[in-house]
Amino acid sequence: MRKLILSTVLGISFVLSLSAQEYKVVTSVESIVPNGLGRSRIINALDDKDYKEYTSVQTETDNTRNKSSRKEIRVKDFEETKLLNFFNIGGIRFQNIAANDALLSSMINNMIENGWELAFVTSAVESDSGKGDGKGIFITRYIFKK
């Protein structure tokens, strides 16, 4: 009987520990601006924020507005790792892409060493693509879970 109770307690605690997961988002922003004029970085927030503190409810009968300001939402404690821009004066710079890959690999390996698992990666490109634009960013979000 004791073994059955002990097994049940251990099983329940194992299942509960599996469901309690934590996620972390790290973002890389790589500049797509000619002549090396852009800024490229890996950004890792060191502060935690509760989205509920900055959320308002909008319904037909209730317009409960959240009174928090943009200033309160900002995260002031974050890591900023420099990356190289995709372009320089000569055009696309493949050495810069390789250097960024090495830094991103190092960051991912460090996160994994610290108990995080890379769960998802999503990326996008932003540019207005107008006549002679040549400006934009390539953004990638690395979503880790523990």
Side-chain angles (χ1 to χ4, degrees), residues 68-103:
S68 61
S69 70
R70 290 175 169 263
K71 193 180 218 181
E72 295 171 316
I73 295 172
R74 287 195 174 91
V75 172
K76 294 181 180 173
D77 295 328
F78 63 94
E79 292 177 337
E80 179 181 87
T81 304
K82 290 183 181 179
L83 294 174
L84 299 173
N85 298 330
F86 283 166
F87 291 101
N88 67 7
I89 292 174
I92 192 164
R93 184 79 171 165
F94 295 106
Q95 288 175 330
N96 290 3
I97 295 170
N100 290 356
D101 288 351
L103 289 170

Side-chain angles (χ1 to χ4, degrees), residues 27 29 40-44 78-84 103-104 107:
T27 301
V29 179
S40 299
R41 303 283 189 270
I42 300 171
I43 305 298
N44 180 14
F78 63 94
E79 292 177 337
E80 179 181 87
T81 304
K82 290 183 181 179
L83 294 174
L84 299 173
L103 289 170
L104 288 163
M107 180 270 304

Side-chain angles (χ1 to χ4, degrees), residues 4-23:
L4 178 63
I5 293 172
L6 181 61
S7 297
T8 304
V9 169
L10 288 175
I12 290 171
S13 61
F14 178 74
V15 169
L16 290 176
S17 70
L18 283 179
S19 64
Q21 292 185 344
E22 179 182 359
Y23 288 87

